[in-house]
Amino acid sequence: MKEELFIRFLNGECSAEEEQQVKQWAKEAGQQAHLERLMALHWKQAEKNKALENRHYRWLEKIHAQLYMPSGVSPGKNVYEQKYTSAAQSNTRYYLSIAASLLLILLAAWSYVYITQQAEEAQPIAHIQKITKKTGVGEKLTIRLPDGSRVTLNAASQITYPSEFSGSIRSVFLSGEAFLQVIHDAQKPFKVMTNHTETTVLGTQFNVNSRENEMITLVEGSVQVGFKDADQHEMIRLVPGQMAYTDALDLNMKVKEADLKEVTSWKDGSLVFRGVSLQEITARLENWYDVQITIAEGVDKDMKVSGEFNNENLQNILTGLSFSFDFTFTISNKNVMIK
């Protein structure tokens, strides 16, 4: 870690990201010698800056008063200033020698400041709650997120989001399928997290399907897609009309051209199939109409067909499919038999 970053941390001049970097570095093993050297460097700087010196003394004294105050010393006195100021002015080597003895105090101070800061940050956002919206089989739901973005959930899907986007990133977690229309905000990127992938956008329209195989399809704008915790250079940038496809078995991400009508028509109440097998079609129909479909032996489950159904009931869809697949069917309550 660079000395200048450490010094800016002690002076309260770091960004939130830089503070986290310093704190993470401090937790790592084997940093004591380096920490002592950096602290000595900061102490030498404090000799030339009286205001910084006094603030540093007060900071250490607050921790010292709680943990190490010797008997007979009044907490109101500036212990460090009394003990070390004259020495600092005359002998830099003295400060180098006491850096190690102050190491524990510095670490205690970091803990104190960090815990206090966390408590203070938590107070103004204590009212923020996690909200979960979900749909059952055969249901769809459209919701507005706190930033005005619009999400349409497909059947058997769930989204979790905060009641207020207070941080630097607008993040939601999705399982199932949803179509998102995200409000542009360059200062707060929008992220959709699924079981395996992460999609980052500034303002766009896209479809996320996170069932067995995960598919992110871009309709408008631009998104970056990658696996969770991936480095920036490992993210894939999509252009409209492209789909990032992740196989559930090998978790390899591929990009291909998408049929936008087939992918997104569900949100408008339509079912569009392009070269889809009967087995795949019945799986979608089960979610769409909340039924259980059984395919009898002898029916070709793998033969593929194409078709479009606009706001049709299950009876009409199965009737249309029966001509292509050469089957008959019966519907009894929520049970369908194809034979």
Side-chain angles (χ1 to χ4, degrees), residues 200-234:
T200 303
V201 342
L202 290 177
T204 191
Q205 297 184 35
F206 60 105
N207 194 86
V208 178
N209 188 333
S210 64
R211 302 192 193 278
E212 291 185 10
N213 300 318
E214 298 195 358
M215 295 168 281
I216 295 90
T217 306
L218 181 62
V219 176
E220 180 182 296
S222 179
V223 299
Q224 287 190 138
V225 184
F227 292 110
K228 284 184 177 178
D229 303 320
D231 293 332
Q232 190 67 25
H233 70 276
E234 296 175 323

Side-chain angles (χ1 to χ4, degrees), residues 224-296:
Q224 287 190 138
V225 184
F227 292 110
K228 284 184 177 178
D229 303 320
D231 293 332
Q232 190 67 25
H233 70 276
E234 296 175 323
M235 304 292 281
I236 297 173
R237 183 176 291 275
L238 300 182
V239 299
Q242 286 186 330
M243 171 193 290
Y245 178 93
T246 303
D247 192 298
L249 296 178
D250 59 17
L251 288 183
N252 285 324
M253 185 173 291
K254 306 176 182 67
V255 176
K256 63 181 183 180
E257 295 301 313
D259 184 324
L260 295 183
K261 187 174 183 180
E262 180 184 14
V263 172
T264 66
S265 61
W266 64 265
K267 67 183 179 62
D268 300 315
S270 300
L271 286 171
V272 177
F273 306 116
R274 303 280 193 238
V276 180
S277 69
L278 177 61
Q279 189 161 13
E280 293 176 277
I281 291 174
T282 55
R284 290 174 66 178
L285 292 178
E286 286 181 329
N287 268 335
W288 194 275
Y289 293 101
D290 189 15
V291 294
Q292 181 70 41
I293 301 177
T294 302
I295 303 176

Side-chain angles (χ1 to χ4, degrees), residues 66 95 124 304 316:
Q66 294 183 23
Y95 284 97
K304 300 181 185 297
N316 291 342

Side-chain angles (χ1 to χ4, degrees), residues 32-177:
Q32 180 167 339
H34 193 189
L35 186 60
E36 292 174 2
R37 183 173 63 82
L38 291 175
M39 185 172 176
L41 180 65
H42 179 66
W43 207 276
K44 288 169 67 178
Q45 179 185 355
E47 296 179 90
K48 302 175 183 179
N49 187 332
K50 185 64 178 177
L52 176 61
E53 177 185 21
N54 289 338
R55 181 171 61 178
H56 190 68
Y57 285 144
R58 289 194 300 271
W59 183 49
L60 291 177
E61 181 184 15
K62 186 172 185 179
I63 304 303
H64 185 274
Q66 294 183 23
L67 301 177
Y68 304 108
M69 180 64 74
S71 58
V73 178
S74 170
K77 296 179 181 179
N78 193 323
V79 177
Y80 287 95
E81 187 169 11
Q82 293 175 32
K83 189 172 183 180
Y84 299 127
T85 299
S86 59
Q89 295 171 345
S90 61
N91 192 351
T92 299
R93 291 177 178 269
Y94 182 68
Y95 284 97
L96 295 175
S97 68
I98 67 170
S101 67
L102 290 172
L103 175 60
L104 291 178
I105 300 176
L106 179 59
L107 291 177
W110 276 358
S111 299
Y112 176 86
V113 171
Y114 178 71
I115 292 172
T116 302
Q117 181 184 27
Q118 292 295 99
E120 290 175 351
E121 290 178 353
Q123 288 179 0
I125 62 173
H127 63 282
I128 295 180
Q129 316 242 332
K130 282 188 177 180
I131 298 174
T132 297
K133 299 288 186 180
K134 58 184 178 180
T135 54
V137 176
E139 296 178 343
K140 287 189 284 294
L141 176 66
T142 298
I143 59 175
R144 289 278 184 183
L145 298 180
D147 64 342
S149 296
R150 181 174 175 173
V151 179
T152 302
L153 285 180
N154 203 348
S157 302
Q158 176 175 301
I159 188 170
T160 300
Y161 58 93
S163 58
E164 178 184 325
F165 292 119
S166 62
S168 59
I169 293 176
R170 296 171 289 166
S171 182
V172 302
F173 185 85
L174 174 71
S175 61
E177 184 173 16

